[in-house]
Amino acid sequence: MRLFQLYYGNYEFRETASQASHLLKRTRLEPLTPYTITDPGKLMEQVHLAAKRGYSIQINQSVMGDISVAAPIIDEHGRAIAAVNISVPTTRWTTQRVEAELVQHVHVAATSISKSKFKRYAA
């Protein structure tokens, strides 16, 4: 679900919201852990939050004991085509620490790749 949140929560969210909603209707949402978001409404809330922030943080949603932060790589058309992701163990990290110490680096890496790969990308 992390990639879904980034692909459809990118900078042109208004255009992709209906695409995301359509994809959710066609997708079988199965939990990977007890914390995986499978409710389409809650998942769309996460998409909106990722669009607002420019990154996504998940805790125990894909892997138990994992906090993951990801930022989209944006192409020259403003579409998210990939993501940069860092995962850390919940035994040594908190969400607050991830936000304070890792989010900026993930975002800078994704923006750097976007700019170097897609010359017309505008941050």
Side-chain angles (χ1 to χ4, degrees):
M1 291 298 126
R2 170 180 31 248
L3 291 179
F4 175 86
Q5 290 173 14
L6 291 173
Y7 289 144
Y8 290 99
N10 67 63
Y11 299 94
E12 293 185 1
F13 181 78
R14 287 183 181 90
E15 292 179 19
T16 59
S18 64
Q19 293 173 359
S21 181
H22 180 69
L23 180 63
L24 276 176
K25 289 176 185 174
R26 297 183 328 199
T27 302
R28 190 171 172 189
L29 300 174
E30 295 185 21
L32 299 172
T33 74
Y35 300 98
T36 302
I37 297 172
T38 57
D39 176 84
K42 290 181 181 178
L43 189 53
M44 286 304 294
E45 287 175 16
Q46 292 295 307
V47 169
H48 285 284
L49 184 58
K52 181 179 177 181
R53 290 177 165 175
Y55 64 91
S56 174
I57 291 184
Q58 293 186 359
I59 305 164
N60 296 318
Q61 288 192 46
S62 299
V63 176
M64 289 300 295
D66 176 84
I67 300 173
S68 180
V69 60
I73 295 173
I74 307 296
D75 73 6
E76 67 271 18
H77 304 290
R79 295 179 303 226
I81 58 158
V84 173
N85 178 76
I86 294 177
S87 296
V88 294
T90 57
T91 55
R92 293 185 296 210
W93 289 78
T94 64
T95 305
Q96 294 79 15
R97 184 175 171 205
V98 167
E99 288 183 304
E101 297 182 30
L102 297 179
V103 165
Q104 178 182 358
H105 298 292
V106 172
H107 194 267
V108 167
T111 301
S112 177
I113 293 167
S114 298
K115 287 182 177 181
S116 67
K117 181 71 176 158
F118 304 104
K119 302 297 181 197
R120 295 186 297 169
Y121 168 75

